[in-house]
Amino acid sequence: MNDLEQFFLHSQHRLIHKWQHYFEIYDRHLQHLKGSKINILEIGIAHGGSLQMWDHYFNGNATIYAVDINPECKKFESDKVKVFIGSQEDEKFLQQLKTTIPRLDVLIDDGGHTFKQQITTFKSLFDHVKDDGIYICEDLHTSYFKHFGGGLKKRKTFIEYSKNFIDKLHAWHNKKIPVDDFTRSAQSLHYYDSVLVIEKRKMSPPFDVKSGEPAIEDKFAADLVAIQK
Ligand SMILES: C[S@@+](CC[C@H](N)C(=O)[O-])C[C@H]1O[C@@H](n2cnc3c(N)ncnc32)[C@H](O)[C@@H]1O
C-alpha cells in the first residue's frame, strides 16, 4: 500500500473521491517529487479531501493551487492552499490564472470531466507546467460515455484529441507532422484506464548511436543476411 492509499484508508480527512487504481498511478509518477518544494494545481476540489491528501503526500512541501466552479470551495483555502473559483472551460479565466500562479510541477485535471473542459484546460495550461513537470488528466472514460456526448472513436472527445499527441511525439520522423511546442516539450505519454499522464522534458531531435567493434557488427549483419536468404 503506498502513502496515498494509507492516507485515504487510515487517516482522518475530508471526503476524497478517486478511482481506486489512481493511487498507484499517482505514486508511480509523483514520488520523485516528495522531497522537493513544489507547486501543484488540482482542478476539481469537491469536498477538499484530495487537497489534504496532496499536502500529506508531499510532506507539507507543496504549495497547492486549486480550482473549482463552486464558490463554496473557497472555504478550503489555507496557508498552504490557494483556491480559485472559476470554470476550467473558460479560457479567459485560465489565462488570468496563469498570470497569478507560478509555473507548475504537477497539474491534475479532476474537474467536470467533459471533453470540452479537458481539452480547453490542456490547451490553456499545458505550457504552464514546468519543463520537467507532469500533466495528469483524469476520467478519460467520459470520452466513451453517451451521456457525455462520447462514443468509440467519436470526434471531438478528449481521447481522440489526445491520440494526436502520439503523432506529435514522433514529428521528428515525418515531415508531414509539424514539430511543435508539444513535440519539443513532451517526453512521454502514459495511458492507463481513464488517466493520461504526460511527462514533460525539453526535447531535441533524436539521433541514433552505435557502440562496439565494427567487424563484429559487420559479421552480425552478414550472418543476418545469410539467415534471411
Ligand atoms: C470529481 S470532483 C473532484 C474530486 C476531488 N478532486 C477529490 O479527489 O475528492 C469534481 C469537481 O469539479 C468541479 N467542477 C465541475 N465543473 C467544473 C468546471 N467547469 N470548472 C471547474 N470545476 C468544475 C465540481 O464542482 C466538483 O467539485
Side-chain angles (χ1 to χ4, degrees), residues 203-220:
M203 302 302 288
S204 45
F207 52 92
D208 67 333
V209 287
K210 288 180 179 174
S211 161
E213 288 292 326
I216 292 170
E217 188 184 300
D218 289 350
K219 182 169 182 323
F220 179 72

Side-chain angles (χ1 to χ4, degrees), residues 8 14-19 23 26 42-51 53-54 67-71 73 84-90 93-94 108-114 117 121 138-139:
F8 181 79
R14 297 186 296 262
L15 187 86
I16 304 172
H17 185 195
K18 296 284 185 192
W19 288 72
F23 297 114
Y26 295 138
E42 184 169 43
I43 298 178
I45 299 173
H47 302 277
S50 56
L51 304 178
M53 181 177 80
W54 297 126
V67 164
D68 206 287
I69 198 165
N70 181 358
C73 291
F84 298 85
I85 302 301
S87 174
Q88 65 174 142
E89 214 171 302
D90 178 350
F93 165 71
L94 296 179
I108 298 168
D109 179 355
D110 186 22
H113 307 307
T114 70
Q117 290 164 353
T121 301
E138 297 185 356
D139 288 23

